[in-house]
Amino acid sequence: MKRRRVPAVALVALALSGPLAADTVRTVTGPIYEGKIVVRDGAGIVLETVAGKKRIDKADVFEVEEGLSPPEVLAGMVKRIGPEGGQDEIAAAARYALSKGLGREYADLVALLVKRGDETDAGKSYRDREDAEAALGRALKDPEAREAVAARLAAEPWLDAALAIRLRERTAALDQALGWVDALRVKEARRRELDRARREALAFIGNGRRYVEGLLPAPGQETVDRLVAEVTRPYDGSALPETVRGDAKVAAALSAIEERLALYRELGGKDAAGIAAEVDAVIARAAAVVDFRAEDLRRHRAVLEENEKAQGPADDLCRRMVRAINEYRMLMGTMPVLAIDEALCKAAQGHAEDMVRLDFFSHVSPVPGKRTHIDRARAAEYPSEYVSEEIAQGRQTPEETVDRWKTSASHHRGLLAGDYKEIGTGRDGVTWCFVMGDPTARRR
């Protein structure tokens, strides 16, 4: 049977369970081999395959009894080690913990191994975690030393593991530093930042002299894009607020982990992706304290959920357009979010189809009784004439279409109009239309 890697299944810590009867036979699968294992007098393990016999060190093969989780298996292994357990058994348990992502237990076993003064190569590497980080520090300061450090990482797996432990310790330090930050103070500061950015962006977008209609892209578009980006940064909770990054403890912990992690990845560290994910998770937890987008989604959940069930939109693309428009209105603080109305969808869909069928592109229609957007809303039996309409052509997706409207001053202002409560969308191919209205308002 050809040797191949297969998913790990239940392995007993054969090496730690004491002598077994001669020629005890078990058929198992494991992360290294698949086949028949014969234990001979507890002195070693022989793997029988078609190709022959392969001897494996006792500490290299484990079998997790069915139904046990990795922490439970590790607990059993540690119990068997006991106070007088040898270094091989401790190292084996540490390798198992590392392979299962049990970082804290791994560190504890490393400390135990060092305490017992193991003089094996593995033990030296464990004990020399300070030397490992010193090597990384040299590589940070001296680019010429990086090649040598990279070679050591590739040649000495335990050096790589030691560095991974140190980086995880620094990640824990960052988590602790973030835990000391006053979340309420940070949120208040970020709210002020968001409100200021919104005021500046909306003032510029609404200024017809500075943000001019009639040209694409509109004069002043670069300024608009910059101001909208300044709104996005404090809104969605995707990054740590500057008020948090400015905290001395956070800044020191963040700088230490980011700089070393970047170099560890550059040098080919095997666990770089896993550690980066842990750092991202720590930052995400801290940033979520000031995630105003998440708050808006909770606040408007009832309307947003009803929109997902509404029958008005002709297809999912039309529904996605409503999502994109409401997302942008929430970002910019333009309330209320818009509820889908079936009559407005009928008006928008009809106008999109008319434009394609009659080969025109205009808010003014040649169809009798549907000349203006007010006429079309009335024909669809919308209860108010307080409506507005935007049209577009040529974009494949609703998100691209909404982004295109943002480059036109008049359309941009239409997206953010705050005096509407409902919306309907329609399309025919790449011809798009949406109509907003307020069913309780009188005609303008």
Side-chain angles (χ1 to χ4, degrees), residues 211 214-218 221 224-225 321 324-325 328 361 390-415 430 432 434:
Y211 191 35
L215 296 174
L216 290 176
Q221 189 64 45
V224 168
D225 292 342
M321 176 169 281
I325 292 171
Y328 190 53
F361 182 70
E390 305 297 347
I391 57 176
Q393 199 169 53
R395 302 293 170 171
Q396 296 292 326
T397 70
E399 294 80 13
E400 291 173 339
T401 304
V402 171
D403 286 342
R404 183 63 170 172
W405 278 323
K406 294 176 189 176
T407 66
S408 163
S410 61
H411 293 89
H412 204 154
R413 286 190 273 271
L415 286 171
V430 294
W432 304 82
F434 81 83

Side-chain angles (χ1 to χ4, degrees), residues 410-429:
S410 61
H411 293 89
H412 204 154
R413 286 190 273 271
L415 286 171
L416 297 174
D419 47 356
Y420 297 103
K421 298 178 181 178
E422 297 178 334
I423 187 172
T425 54
R427 76 175 187 98
D428 189 339

Side-chain angles (χ1 to χ4, degrees), residues 198-214 218-221 223-224 227 332 408-414 416:
R198 280 173 168 168
R199 284 195 303 270
E200 292 182 4
L202 291 172
F204 194 94
I205 291 170
N207 189 327
R209 294 182 179 180
R210 303 181 70 185
Y211 191 35
V212 185
E213 296 182 18
Q221 189 64 45
T223 302
V224 168
L227 292 172
M332 300 303 292
S408 163
S410 61
H411 293 89
H412 204 154
R413 286 190 273 271
L416 297 174

Side-chain angles (χ1 to χ4, degrees), residues 177-191:
L178 288 167
W180 287 102
V181 173
D182 183 345
L184 182 60
R185 174 179 58 82
V186 171
K187 189 168 187 176
E188 289 175 347
R190 193 157 183 174
R191 171 64 77 180

Side-chain angles (χ1 to χ4, degrees), residues 28-273:
V28 301
T29 55
I32 304 174
Y33 298 100
E34 179 179 30
K36 184 186 297 181
I37 288 181
V38 181
V39 181
R40 302 191 185 280
D41 299 326
I45 299 170
V46 175
L47 176 71
E48 294 185 350
T49 67
V50 173
K53 296 182 179 180
K54 172 70 177 180
R55 190 173 184 82
I56 309 171
D57 290 339
K58 290 189 297 181
D60 289 337
V61 179
F62 303 97
E63 181 172 0
V64 179
E65 295 175 5
E66 186 175 357
L68 294 182
S69 67
E72 290 172 326
V73 174
L74 184 62
M77 294 171 64
V78 171
K79 184 177 180 180
R80 289 188 182 99
I81 291 172
E84 303 299 328
Q87 293 117 1
D88 286 346
E89 286 84 356
I90 299 171
R95 286 199 294 274
Y96 178 77
L98 181 63
S99 72
K100 298 300 181 182
L102 303 174
R104 180 174 299 177
E105 293 85 348
Y106 177 53
D108 290 342
L109 287 163
V110 167
L112 177 60
L113 191 63
V114 173
K115 183 178 180 181
R116 296 199 181 176
D118 182 24
E119 294 301 328
T120 65
D121 289 342
K124 289 179 181 177
S125 296
Y126 278 130
R127 192 171 60 252
D128 288 347
R129 283 185 294 162
E130 285 76 10
D131 173 63
E133 183 156 344
L136 192 63
R138 288 193 297 274
L140 280 172
K141 297 176 182 178
D142 182 8
E144 294 182 0
R146 294 184 182 183
E147 185 175 343
V149 176
R152 282 194 65 192
L153 281 179
E156 302 176 40
W158 297 110
L159 179 64
D160 188 295
L163 279 176
I165 290 174
R166 282 303 195 203
L167 289 170
R168 284 195 161 86
E169 289 172 349
R170 290 188 179 278
T171 303
L174 172 62
D175 199 12
Q176 185 177 34
L178 288 167
W180 287 102
V181 173
D182 183 345
L184 182 60
R185 174 179 58 82
V186 171
K187 189 168 187 176
E188 289 175 347
R190 193 157 183 174
R191 171 64 77 180
R192 289 193 294 271
E193 179 187 355
L194 176 61
D195 290 345
R196 175 197 57 76
R198 280 173 168 168
R199 284 195 303 270
E200 292 182 4
L202 291 172
F204 194 94
I205 291 170
N207 189 327
R209 294 182 179 180
R210 303 181 70 185
Y211 191 35
V212 185
E213 296 182 18
L215 296 174
L216 290 176
Q221 189 64 45
E222 288 186 5
T223 302
V224 168
D225 292 342
R226 176 180 58 79
L227 292 172
V228 171
E230 290 179 4
V231 175
T232 303
R233 186 168 49 250
Y235 177 71
D236 66 4
S238 61
L240 282 177
E242 293 305 314
T243 45
V244 173
R245 287 182 176 270
D247 181 273
K249 289 184 178 179
V250 172
L254 191 58
S255 174
I257 184 65
E258 287 181 335
E259 185 179 39
R260 285 165 174 78
L261 179 57
L263 182 56
Y264 178 66
R265 181 185 291 109
E266 178 186 330
L267 295 174
K270 294 180 176 61
D271 207 12

